[in-house]
Amino acid sequence: QMQIEALSQLFCDFDKSGDGYVDSAEVEAAMQDEEFAQKAAVLLKMPKRDILDVLQHLIDKDDGSDINGVPMEKFVECLIDSTAAVTERSIMRVEWRMGELLQKLNIIETSMTQTANSLKRTNFSAGPGDGEVVRYSDAIQQPIPEDALQIEDEPPK
């Protein structure tokens, strides 16, 4: 609980705009303050040089929203685990997650390959220019299955 409060306070220290999101500019500005950077390094248990990279990765993760930055809940959730020791169980969880992602990518790749293979290309010249007009006919596009785009957050127990 104390760590959650400390990370929440760190988030507030980064969020100078007060909009509830920490963006790249706020992180870079805050890390220019040597005293603040040292405080963050101690709290996050990582070297100052790594903090910018870790937070930038967290901010850059595309969650599909138009919001630039990371909200407090996600900030705390992701960084609370950064101070934990690596265990065999944590490695197994990462491996499971990577396996899930690979399965989803394979489904998407198969769908895209089927769509590409189903396109028949017919070339002909026509119209008011010298350019070639390309027509795609009889295209059967296979939609990507809805569940292929959903990613489980936790491995099965």
Side-chain angles (χ1 to χ4, degrees):
Q1 183 65 28
M2 289 175 50
Q3 187 181 17
I4 291 173
E5 290 173 14
L7 287 170
S8 297
Q9 182 58 50
L10 181 65
F11 177 90
C12 292
D13 293 344
F14 275 119
D15 185 20
K16 295 298 182 191
S17 68
D19 64 356
Y21 293 86
V22 170
D23 62 31
S24 299
E26 290 171 321
V27 169
E28 290 174 17
M31 293 302 289
Q32 295 298 317
D33 178 351
E34 194 62 35
E35 187 177 322
F36 177 81
Q38 184 61 37
K39 173 185 156 188
V42 169
L43 178 64
L44 296 174
K45 297 179 183 172
M46 69 177 69
K48 291 184 281 187
R49 67 183 175 276
D50 292 345
I51 293 173
L52 276 174
D53 290 338
V54 168
L55 293 180
Q56 192 60 49
H57 176 72
L58 184 60
I59 291 165
D60 287 345
K61 279 181 116 174
D62 183 18
D63 63 358
S65 71
D66 293 333
I67 298 169
N68 184 23
V70 63
M72 181 189 296
E73 181 180 304
K74 190 169 187 175
F75 180 92
V76 171
E77 177 186 321
C78 291
L79 293 177
I80 200 157
D81 291 334
S82 72
T83 61
V86 175
T87 64
E88 187 171 338
R89 182 175 179 194
S90 64
I91 291 171
M92 288 172 45
R93 291 182 79 198
V94 169
E95 287 175 339
W96 174 85
R97 180 117 167 113
M98 289 174 62
E100 287 289 306
L101 291 171
L102 184 59
Q103 287 178 353
K104 305 293 182 183
L105 286 172
N106 285 336
I107 291 169
I108 292 169
E109 178 186 29
T110 299
S111 178
M112 291 176 71
T113 301
Q114 289 172 348
T115 300
N117 289 337
S118 70
L119 295 174
K120 294 181 180 174
R121 187 176 171 139
T122 305
N123 297 325
F124 61 93
S125 294
D130 293 348
E132 181 181 79
V133 176
V134 179
R135 182 185 66 187
Y136 292 97
S137 61
D138 301 323
I140 303 170
Q141 296 187 6
Q142 301 293 325
I144 297 171
E146 189 71 29
D147 63 341
L149 303 176
Q150 296 173 353
I151 299 170
E152 302 285 329
D153 286 334
E154 292 295 323
K157 304 251 180 208

